[in-house]
Amino acid sequence: MALKATIFKADLQISDMNRHYYHTHSLTVAQHPSETDERVMVRLLAFACHADEALTFTKGIAEADEPDLWHKDLTGVIKLWIEIGQPDERRILKACGRSEQVVIYTYSSHSDIWWKQLSSKLARVKNLTVMNLPERLSKQLAALAQRSMQLQCTIQEEQIWFSNGNETLQIEFETLQMPANKN
């Protein structure tokens, strides 16, 4: 018998002062049987960082042709493609060809090795952002995971605070690559 997805319900209150975006999202996130709590929480964090009414979770690792999250406009054009983890070069280049903007959030202790192998090959890509969440923070984020969650995320300038009401984490990403026009 095949293993089934675990369902997480999250009420995510977002206060993004940078974009003047203040909204609460009631989210249902399916955790693939091979997916860790850490990865689920990084997906929720990525959602918070790019929150929009049109941003949606996809089938993610269960579907080879979809990212973890995406934002499509009303005509079906992919405005934003978000990957979590360490996708291979071919997948990244395909995503960059299909979407206006691609963001990768990596969080593993092996991210530095992965990035050293790919950075020179991806330096020419103009619509790619790569962010690394230090392993210490991704582990702390994973500790917040529960099947039913009330979460708050506050974003101001380069500061991100992610909280479950009892514990607050200050999230600091390391920027590995940013499009030239965003530096």
Side-chain angles (χ1 to χ4, degrees), residues 146-171:
Q146 295 181 4
R147 297 277 301 271
S148 180
M149 298 177 274
Q150 301 287 321
L151 302 169
Q152 301 82 38
C153 183
T154 303
I155 302 169
Q156 183 175 14
E157 296 177 15
E158 299 298 317
Q159 302 292 315
I160 300 171
W161 293 274
F162 204 85
S163 174
N164 66 358
N166 296 321
E167 187 174 350
T168 300
L169 301 176
Q170 183 175 351
I171 305 293

Side-chain angles (χ1 to χ4, degrees), residues 87-153:
D88 64 34
E89 177 188 5
R90 188 171 59 200
R91 182 172 175 83
I92 295 168
L93 294 174
K94 183 178 178 181
C96 290
R98 291 182 62 194
S99 178
E100 291 181 11
Q101 180 184 7
V102 175
V103 180
I104 299 171
Y105 288 97
T106 183
Y107 60 91
S108 162
S109 61
H110 305 292
S111 295
D112 58 337
I113 297 167
W114 168 81
W115 185 243
K116 283 178 186 174
Q117 293 173 345
L118 291 181
S119 61
S120 63
K121 298 173 186 174
L122 299 174
R124 71 187 191 302
V125 180
K126 303 296 184 214
N127 61 336
L128 176 64
T129 300
V130 182
M131 305 298 285
N132 181 55
L133 181 63
E135 184 180 23
R136 161 187 70 78
L137 291 171
S138 66
K139 297 289 186 202
Q140 290 175 340
L141 195 59
L144 301 180
Q146 295 181 4
R147 297 277 301 271
S148 180
M149 298 177 274
Q150 301 287 321
L151 302 169
Q152 301 82 38
C153 183

Side-chain angles (χ1 to χ4, degrees), residues 58-74:
T58 68
K59 294 179 182 176
I61 58 178
E63 178 60 50
D65 288 336
E66 293 183 0
D68 290 289
L69 298 110
W70 62 14
H71 174 174
K72 290 183 173 181
D73 70 11
L74 296 175

Side-chain angles (χ1 to χ4, degrees), residues 14-76:
I14 301 165
S15 299
D16 187 337
M17 271 69 110
N18 297 345
R19 298 185 300 137
H20 304 289
Y21 184 87
Y22 309 95
H23 195 78
T24 299
H25 293 267
S26 293
L27 304 170
T28 301
V29 182
Q31 180 185 33
H32 189 273
S34 68
E35 189 175 25
T36 64
D37 288 352
E38 183 177 19
R39 190 173 191 285
V40 168
M41 294 304 288
V42 173
R43 283 199 290 148
L44 284 169
L45 177 60
F47 182 94
C49 290
H50 300 275
D52 185 277
E53 290 298 321
L55 184 64
T56 58
F57 290 100
T58 68
K59 294 179 182 176
I61 58 178
E63 178 60 50
D65 288 336
E66 293 183 0
D68 290 289
L69 298 110
W70 62 14
H71 174 174
K72 290 183 173 181
D73 70 11
L74 296 175
T75 65

